Amino acid sequence: MRVVSGSAKGRPLKAVPGTGTRPTTDKVKEALFSMIGPYFEGGTALDLFAGSGGLGIEALSRGMDKAVFVDLESKSIEVIRANLKATKLEDQAAIYRNDAGRALKALSKRSTQFNLVFLDPPYRMKNGDEFMLTMHELELLEPEATIVLEYESKYSYPEQFGPFEQTRKALYGETAVSIYHYAPAATTEDGESSTAEKEAPHE
Protein backbone atom coordinates (compact mmCIF):
# COMPACT_ATOMS: atom_id res chain seq x y z
CA MET A 1 0.00 0.00 0.00
CA ARG A 2 1.06 3.57 -0.62
CA VAL A 3 -0.26 7.11 -0.68
CA VAL A 4 -1.66 7.55 -4.18
CA SER A 5 -1.54 11.32 -4.60
CA GLY A 6 -0.97 14.68 -2.93
CA SER A 7 1.73 15.94 -0.58
CA ALA A 8 2.70 12.43 0.58
CA LYS A 9 2.40 10.79 -2.84
CA GLY A 10 4.29 7.52 -3.16
CA ARG A 11 5.00 7.07 0.55
CA PRO A 12 4.61 3.38 1.49
CA LEU A 13 2.07 2.51 4.18
CA LYS A 14 2.26 -0.37 6.62
CA ALA A 15 -0.62 -2.83 6.81
CA VAL A 16 -2.05 -4.12 10.07
CA PRO A 17 -0.53 -7.58 10.74
CA GLY A 18 -2.88 -10.56 10.70
CA THR A 19 -6.15 -11.08 8.87
CA GLY A 20 -8.46 -9.05 11.10
CA THR A 21 -8.42 -5.98 8.86
CA ARG A 22 -9.10 -5.54 5.15
CA PRO A 23 -7.09 -2.62 3.77
CA THR A 24 -8.56 -0.69 0.84
CA THR A 25 -6.43 -1.45 -2.20
CA ASP A 26 -4.58 1.34 -4.00
CA LYS A 27 -6.77 0.78 -7.08
CA VAL A 28 -10.01 1.18 -5.09
CA LYS A 29 -8.55 4.11 -3.16
CA GLU A 30 -7.62 5.95 -6.34
CA ALA A 31 -11.09 5.37 -7.85
CA LEU A 32 -12.78 6.38 -4.60
CA PHE A 33 -10.94 9.70 -4.36
CA SER A 34 -11.60 10.48 -8.02
CA MET A 35 -15.31 10.28 -7.11
CA ILE A 36 -15.18 12.55 -4.06
CA GLY A 37 -12.36 15.00 -4.82
CA PRO A 38 -9.88 14.25 -5.92
CA TYR A 39 -8.36 17.12 -3.92
CA PHE A 40 -9.71 19.20 -1.04
CA GLU A 41 -9.46 22.79 0.13
CA GLY A 42 -9.33 22.10 3.84
CA GLY A 43 -11.90 20.56 6.17
CA THR A 44 -11.90 17.78 8.75
CA ALA A 45 -12.12 14.05 7.99
CA LEU A 46 -13.14 11.08 10.14
CA ASP A 47 -11.73 7.60 9.48
CA LEU A 48 -14.00 5.60 11.79
CA PHE A 49 -12.87 1.99 11.30
CA ALA A 50 -9.41 3.19 10.43
CA GLY A 51 -7.38 -0.04 10.24
CA SER A 52 -4.04 1.15 8.84
CA GLY A 53 -5.37 4.70 8.46
CA GLY A 54 -4.87 4.64 4.69
CA LEU A 55 -8.06 6.50 3.77
CA GLY A 56 -7.68 9.29 6.32
CA ILE A 57 -4.00 9.69 5.41
CA GLU A 58 -4.89 9.90 1.72
CA ALA A 59 -7.43 12.63 2.54
CA LEU A 60 -4.78 14.61 4.46
CA SER A 61 -2.31 14.19 1.62
CA ARG A 62 -4.94 15.54 -0.79
CA GLY A 63 -5.66 18.70 1.18
CA MET A 64 -7.84 18.07 4.24
CA ASP A 65 -6.71 20.15 7.25
CA LYS A 66 -7.28 17.54 9.95
CA ALA A 67 -8.27 13.90 10.35
CA VAL A 68 -9.51 11.86 13.28
CA PHE A 69 -8.66 8.14 13.26
CA VAL A 70 -10.67 5.66 15.35
CA ASP A 71 -10.05 1.94 15.77
CA LEU A 72 -10.61 -0.54 18.57
CA GLU A 73 -7.51 -2.68 17.95
CA SER A 74 -4.21 -1.71 19.56
CA LYS A 75 -2.30 -3.16 16.55
CA SER A 76 -4.19 -0.79 14.28
CA ILE A 77 -3.44 2.20 16.48
CA GLU A 78 0.30 1.39 16.36
CA VAL A 79 0.22 1.10 12.55
CA ILE A 80 -1.74 4.36 12.17
CA ARG A 81 0.86 6.19 14.28
CA ALA A 82 3.70 4.70 12.21
CA ASN A 83 2.01 5.59 8.91
CA LEU A 84 1.31 9.16 10.01
CA LYS A 85 4.94 9.55 11.06
CA ALA A 86 6.17 8.11 7.76
CA THR A 87 4.01 10.55 5.79
CA LYS A 88 4.86 13.47 8.13
CA LEU A 89 1.17 14.14 8.73
CA GLU A 90 1.04 13.39 12.47
CA ASP A 91 0.56 17.06 13.40
CA GLN A 92 -2.74 17.10 11.51
CA ALA A 93 -4.15 13.96 13.13
CA ALA A 94 -5.89 12.80 16.29
CA ILE A 95 -5.99 9.06 17.06
CA TYR A 96 -8.45 7.33 19.40
CA ARG A 97 -8.56 3.70 20.42
CA ASN A 98 -12.25 3.13 21.03
CA ASP A 99 -15.39 1.34 19.94
CA ALA A 100 -16.95 3.22 17.01
CA GLY A 101 -20.23 3.99 18.78
CA ARG A 102 -18.55 5.27 21.94
CA ALA A 103 -16.07 7.27 19.87
CA LEU A 104 -18.92 9.10 18.11
CA LYS A 105 -20.45 10.08 21.46
CA ALA A 106 -17.07 11.29 22.74
CA LEU A 107 -16.48 13.36 19.59
CA SER A 108 -19.95 14.87 19.94
CA LYS A 109 -19.08 16.10 23.44
CA ARG A 110 -16.09 17.89 21.94
CA SER A 111 -18.40 19.63 19.42
CA THR A 112 -16.39 18.14 16.56
CA GLN A 113 -17.90 18.27 13.07
CA PHE A 114 -16.73 16.57 9.90
CA ASN A 115 -16.81 17.42 6.22
CA LEU A 116 -15.73 13.96 5.10
CA VAL A 117 -16.31 10.55 6.72
CA PHE A 118 -14.88 7.15 5.80
CA LEU A 119 -16.96 4.21 7.00
CA ASP A 120 -15.29 0.88 6.31
CA PRO A 121 -16.60 -1.49 8.99
CA PRO A 122 -15.90 -5.24 8.95
CA TYR A 123 -18.03 -6.92 6.28
CA ARG A 124 -19.92 -8.89 8.94
CA MET A 125 -21.38 -5.59 10.15
CA LYS A 126 -24.32 -4.40 8.05
CA ASN A 127 -25.16 -1.25 9.98
CA GLY A 128 -23.27 1.50 8.16
CA ASP A 129 -26.56 3.38 7.72
CA GLU A 130 -27.18 3.26 11.47
CA PHE A 131 -23.77 4.82 12.14
CA MET A 132 -24.60 7.57 9.66
CA LEU A 133 -27.94 8.30 11.34
CA THR A 134 -26.16 8.39 14.71
CA MET A 135 -23.73 10.99 13.33
CA HIS A 136 -26.71 13.05 12.21
CA GLU A 137 -28.39 12.79 15.62
CA LEU A 138 -25.15 13.74 17.41
CA GLU A 139 -24.65 16.72 15.05
CA LEU A 140 -21.23 15.45 13.98
CA LEU A 141 -21.62 16.35 10.30
CA GLU A 142 -21.21 19.65 8.55
CA PRO A 143 -24.02 20.44 6.06
CA GLU A 144 -23.08 19.09 2.61
CA ALA A 145 -20.69 16.55 4.18
CA THR A 146 -19.61 13.52 2.13
CA ILE A 147 -19.78 10.01 3.58
CA VAL A 148 -17.88 7.17 1.92
CA LEU A 149 -19.35 3.77 2.84
CA GLU A 150 -17.36 0.67 1.92
CA TYR A 151 -19.01 -2.74 2.25
CA GLU A 152 -19.44 -6.20 0.78
CA SER A 153 -20.72 -6.04 -2.79
CA LYS A 154 -23.31 -8.76 -2.11
CA TYR A 155 -25.04 -6.38 0.30
CA SER A 156 -27.06 -3.30 -0.60
CA TYR A 157 -27.81 -0.12 1.35
CA PRO A 158 -30.77 2.21 0.64
CA GLU A 159 -30.18 4.95 -1.90
CA GLN A 160 -31.84 7.46 0.40
CA PHE A 161 -32.57 7.49 4.12
CA GLY A 162 -32.95 10.30 6.60
CA PRO A 163 -30.87 13.27 5.40
CA PHE A 164 -28.55 11.06 3.32
CA GLU A 165 -28.69 10.54 -0.43
CA GLN A 166 -26.48 8.19 -2.41
CA THR A 167 -24.80 10.11 -5.24
CA ARG A 168 -22.43 7.44 -6.56
CA LYS A 169 -21.97 3.69 -6.25
CA ALA A 170 -19.20 1.52 -7.66
CA LEU A 171 -18.32 -2.18 -7.46
CA TYR A 172 -14.77 -3.55 -7.30
CA GLY A 173 -14.95 -7.33 -7.05
CA GLU A 174 -16.18 -8.18 -3.56
CA THR A 175 -16.03 -4.52 -2.50
CA ALA A 176 -18.77 -1.93 -2.99
CA VAL A 177 -18.35 1.80 -2.39
CA SER A 178 -21.31 4.15 -1.97
CA ILE A 179 -20.89 7.92 -1.75
CA TYR A 180 -23.56 9.72 0.28
CA HIS A 181 -24.35 13.42 0.43
CA TYR A 182 -25.55 14.83 3.74
CA ALA A 183 -28.29 17.44 3.44
CA PRO A 184 -30.06 18.11 6.73
CA ALA A 185 -33.63 19.20 6.06
CA ALA A 186 -34.08 22.92 5.46
CA THR A 187 -36.71 24.64 7.57
CA THR A 188 -39.40 26.73 5.93
CA GLU A 189 -40.81 29.99 7.33
CA ASP A 190 -43.66 28.17 9.04
CA GLY A 191 -41.14 25.98 10.85
CA GLU A 192 -41.92 22.79 8.97
CA SER A 193 -39.28 20.70 7.30
CA SER A 194 -39.16 21.21 3.55
CA THR A 195 -37.68 17.75 3.07
CA ALA A 196 -39.51 14.59 4.02
CA GLU A 197 -37.12 12.41 5.97
CA LYS A 198 -37.34 8.64 5.81
CA GLU A 199 -35.99 6.41 8.53
CA ALA A 200 -33.67 3.58 7.55
CA PRO A 201 -35.51 0.25 7.47
CA HIS A 202 -34.94 -2.01 10.43
CA GLU A 203 -35.13 -5.76 10.42
Side-chain angles (χ1 to χ4, degrees), residues 14-34:
K14 291 183 178 180
V16 180
T19 57
T21 61
R22 185 194 66 260
T24 303
T25 65
D26 289 349
K27 179 183 176 182
V28 172
K29 192 160 53 176
E30 189 164 10
L32 185 162
F33 277 90
S34 71

Side-chain angles (χ1 to χ4, degrees), residues 43 117 164:
V117 175
F164 300 98

Side-chain angles (χ1 to χ4, degrees), residues 129 132-133 157-167 179-181 183 195-201:
D129 48 354
M132 290 164 65
L133 288 169
Y157 280 100
E159 291 185 11
Q160 189 161 12
F161 58 94
F164 300 98
E165 182 176 5
Q166 184 185 100
T167 57
I179 312 298
Y180 284 91
H181 175 245
T195 305
E197 292 195 10
K198 295 182 286 186
E199 289 294 327

